[in-house]
Amino acid sequence: LNLQRLADEASPTPFHMFAQCLAMQGKLQRLYTQNIDGLEFKTSINPELIHPLHGQVNELWCPKCTETFPVNQYTQEELIGGVTCQSAHCGTSRLGTRGQLRFNVLLYSDFQPTLDTTQSRIQHDIKKADLLLVVGTSLRIPGAKMIVEEYLNDGKETRPAFLINMQLSTAKLNFTQHLNLDCQLAAVYVIVQLGLLLKVLIVFKTNVCPQYL
């Protein structure tokens, strides 16, 4: 609950604004985010262009019927005491008792009901993108690393791929360039060097609340 409160109070960063600028000009293919704070959804970016790989703390999820609900429709007392799913699709004879809602954050052992949709979307985006920005992540998580590997191995060797991070990724990947910059400053570099002429695919992670994320 502390994390959800901090995320609710936080504001989008300069890099979020950069992504918003890309989206406004029709240059953002997709923003795949490892963040769970939901700050991307506080921008004017079309939610269809945002794909939270690990879920988000501003939603509750029913593990039984897989429906999601906004956190802000429940009080703190209700969240602490536990919330039973009220979906019409939950608690039918097929599903049995109603599920207990939990924060829509993907843990390592969780079943991923949208995995097929995610993989199909990734394949589509890789073929459409002209530029890949990997921002603020060392790619230790297999899902994010897989997006980058498939982009780099798609056979279009002339497409650039930039790693923007204060530390080098442990993944052995052939990036066009590693920019040892804070991701909030790197947006300016990308605009100056490349302009906004390319269709951009972003894999993004940054810690707005580093003591929790």
Side-chain angles (χ1 to χ4, degrees), residues 62-212:
C62 177
K64 184 153 287 188
C65 70
T66 72
E67 204 159 325
T68 59
F69 306 86
V71 165
N72 59 15
Q73 74 180 46
Y74 302 98
T75 66
Q76 290 287 307
E77 290 74 19
E78 287 174 320
L79 293 173
I80 292 171
V83 180
T84 300
C85 181
Q86 297 301 317
S87 168
H89 306 293
C90 201
T92 63
S93 57
R94 180 176 64 84
L95 294 175
T97 58
R98 291 182 179 274
Q100 291 295 306
L101 301 187
R102 46 164 279 193
F103 284 103
N104 188 20
V105 176
L106 188 65
L107 303 176
Y108 286 105
S109 59
D110 285 345
F111 168 67
Q112 300 180 48
T114 60
L115 182 60
D116 289 343
T117 302
T118 298
Q119 291 177 332
S120 175
R121 175 174 286 179
I122 289 170
Q123 293 301 321
H124 170 81
D125 291 340
I126 285 172
K127 294 185 182 303
K128 292 285 187 180
D130 303 308
L131 165 68
L132 173 67
L133 299 181
V134 180
V135 183
T137 174
S138 57
L139 296 175
R140 292 182 182 141
I141 304 301
K145 181 182 176 184
M146 180 268 293
I147 297 173
V148 179
E149 287 176 329
E150 295 203 12
Y151 174 91
L152 293 173
N153 296 327
D154 194 49
K156 299 179 181 179
E157 297 180 358
T158 58
R159 296 190 302 178
F162 287 84
L163 172 64
I164 303 171
N165 199 18
M166 294 296 286
Q167 65 184 50
L168 197 59
S169 172
T170 56
K172 304 298 183 183
L173 297 170
N174 189 27
F175 287 101
T176 306
Q177 189 175 354
H178 170 219
L179 304 179
N180 187 22
L181 297 172
D182 181 281
C183 64
Q184 310 307 336
L185 302 175
V188 177
Y189 175 92
V190 174
I191 291 173
V192 171
Q193 295 295 318
L194 299 174
L196 297 178
L197 303 177
L198 304 175
K199 198 75 170 180
V200 181
L201 183 64
I202 300 176
V203 178
F204 180 50
K205 183 177 186 295
T206 187
N207 291 345
V208 174
C209 309
Q211 66 269 46
Y212 289 99

Side-chain angles (χ1 to χ4, degrees), residues 1-29:
L1 290 178
N2 281 341
L3 176 56
Q4 190 274 323
R5 178 181 58 79
L6 288 169
D8 192 51
E9 294 172 353
S11 299
T13 68
F15 194 87
H16 288 104
M17 295 299 100
F18 167 64
Q20 177 178 279
C21 181
L22 288 175
M24 290 173 65
Q25 298 201 20
K27 301 301 180 183
L28 180 64
Q29 179 61 34

